[in-house]
Amino acid sequence: MKNIAIYPGTFDPITYGHIDVIKKGINLFEKLIVAVSDIGIKNHLFSTDERITLVKNSLYKDMKISSKRVQVIKFSSLTTTLCKKYNSNIILRGLRAVSDFEYEFQLAGMNRKLNEKIETIFLMSDVDNQVISSRLVKEIASLNGDLKKFITKSVIKEIKNKVWII
């Protein structure tokens, strides 16, 4: 089996915290699939297609990460189903703080119950990125705050356009 990991999330929007986990992931795996959730449980600022474009622009254009190592896809299934489709038994998840751990621990356990071959690997973002969350980025944007330390140039442009519309 190829060494492929799935990194699922909403990425609304993608932040330097997410990118930090992606960079660490490509050092560990042959290929990383960034899977942007199309499930409408949350109220998203960006549509799924907009989030996919933001992720691609952030990774490929702003950060110069190779599209040969990182593939960006849309998904609307269980993550375990996605793993089966892409012949992966690894789910990559990022942790920022202890508060993330309880939810992520439960999620990893449920995924393991759904498919006992699935392993969830947790990666910590660097200390500088641990406080960043998409929710706080959107709040800072709505208050016209400086976003340079949290998101890439292409995301800054799009979030400012979106926030002005709202």
Side-chain angles (χ1 to χ4, degrees):
M1 179 180 290
K2 262 184 131 179
N3 195 1
I4 300 171
I6 308 287
Y7 181 32
T10 54
F11 306 103
D12 187 42
I14 187 168
T15 68
Y16 283 132
H18 296 122
I19 292 169
D20 193 12
V21 170
I22 291 166
K23 284 180 173 180
K24 289 176 180 183
I26 58 177
N27 286 329
L28 297 172
F29 307 105
E30 292 174 47
K31 185 171 186 175
L32 183 64
I33 297 173
V34 178
V36 180
S37 175
D38 191 26
I39 300 170
I41 296 171
K42 294 182 180 179
N43 290 328
H44 300 294
L45 179 61
F46 295 99
S47 71
T48 307
D49 290 337
E50 288 171 326
R51 287 182 278 133
I52 287 172
T53 299
L54 289 175
V55 171
K56 286 180 176 180
N57 287 343
S58 290
L59 298 179
Y60 306 149
K61 291 180 182 176
D62 297 337
M63 304 305 295
K64 310 291 187 227
I65 294 173
S66 171
S67 61
K68 292 177 184 172
R69 299 287 314 281
V70 179
Q71 181 180 357
V72 181
I73 63 161
K74 176 182 356 183
F75 82 108
S76 57
S77 65
L78 290 169
T79 306
T80 54
T81 303
L82 192 65
C83 287
K84 187 175 183 178
K85 178 179 178 180
Y86 286 93
N87 199 26
S88 172
N89 64 342
I90 302 165
I91 298 173
L92 182 63
R93 298 295 292 174
L95 292 174
R96 292 175 303 211
V98 174
S99 58
D100 289 344
F101 183 75
E102 186 174 344
Y103 170 76
E104 293 295 341
F105 182 77
Q106 289 177 325
L107 188 59
M110 290 301 288
N111 285 329
R112 184 70 177 213
K113 287 279 190 190
L114 290 167
N115 183 337
E116 63 187 25
K117 295 177 184 173
I118 298 289
E119 292 291 343
T120 300
I121 295 178
F122 299 104
L123 294 177
M124 298 288 297
S125 358
D126 287 338
V127 173
D128 291 346
N129 295 319
Q130 287 179 1
V131 298
I132 303 172
S133 73
S134 296
R135 182 181 55 81
L136 290 175
V137 165
K138 290 182 276 194
E139 188 173 329
I140 292 166
S142 72
L143 298 168
N144 203 27
D146 186 2
L147 299 167
K148 287 183 222 135
K149 293 180 182 178
F150 311 116
I151 53 179
T152 64
K153 289 179 183 179
S154 58
V155 178
I156 289 172
K157 179 183 173 195
E158 294 305 318
I159 200 168
K160 285 187 174 183
N161 288 339
K162 186 70 80 166
V163 170
W164 282 110
I165 293 169
I166 295 174

